Amino acid sequence: DILGKADSWATLHWVGGFTLILQVVLYACQYNSEWGGCLLTPRETIDAAMNGGIVYFKNGVALLLAFAYAQTVKDLQLSKWLIDCLGDTSEAGLPPLVFALCAVFSLGTGTSKGTTIVFMPAVIPLAVHIGGMDNVSLLTTTISAVLGGAVWGDHCSPVSDTTVLSASASQVQLFD
């Protein structure tokens, strides 16, 4: 219950401010005897703080967009639409169907996290509709199909950030 009432926006502000203050104090306290001064000059400390602030700002924007996206999916009533379209699917056919849908979506978007965010709130009510609340096996298999399809599509996608970064880290040419 405490996590449900947590204010993530305020937490980001407090953590960002504390980190900024801690960064300045630690850089000022580390004395370099060879150079005869602090580890970083005041200008370098400010530059590092500004670069960190840019990352902090990007995280705040991403969080804001995630909330907007979640509200959009809720307003579109995607779970009701899936129940109407796929409500007569058999219990054995639901997990493979969900896996295929998630894999195609993730392959096209290049994000496993985004696929999970889109499909979990839509597919769980569908699994409950088909199998009932007591069918834990169908529910866990369907959730596993969402996660598996999302990760499969993300790893195979040429537009995935993890694919691009792992290729870059391995010094593989991305373009001919």
Side-chain angles (χ1 to χ4, degrees), residues 63-146:
L63 185 62
L64 182 66
L65 291 174
F67 287 139
Y69 189 75
Q71 187 62 41
T72 302
V73 169
K74 185 178 177 182
D75 290 344
L76 288 174
Q77 299 179 350
L78 185 60
S79 60
K80 289 182 181 180
W81 180 79
L82 279 177
I83 289 171
D84 288 343
C85 292
L86 305 174
D88 57 350
T89 305
S90 68
E91 288 184 18
L94 182 63
L97 180 64
V98 167
F99 178 86
L101 288 172
C102 291
V104 169
F105 186 86
S106 184
L107 185 68
T109 60
T111 173
S112 56
K113 187 185 293 185
T115 303
T116 305
I117 289 170
V118 169
F119 278 90
M120 280 297 186
V123 169
I124 290 174
L126 178 62
V128 170
H129 174 77
I130 291 173
M133 287 294 290
D134 296 332
N135 194 344
V136 177
S137 176
L138 178 64
L139 192 59
T140 55
T141 307
T142 305
I143 290 171
S144 299
V146 170

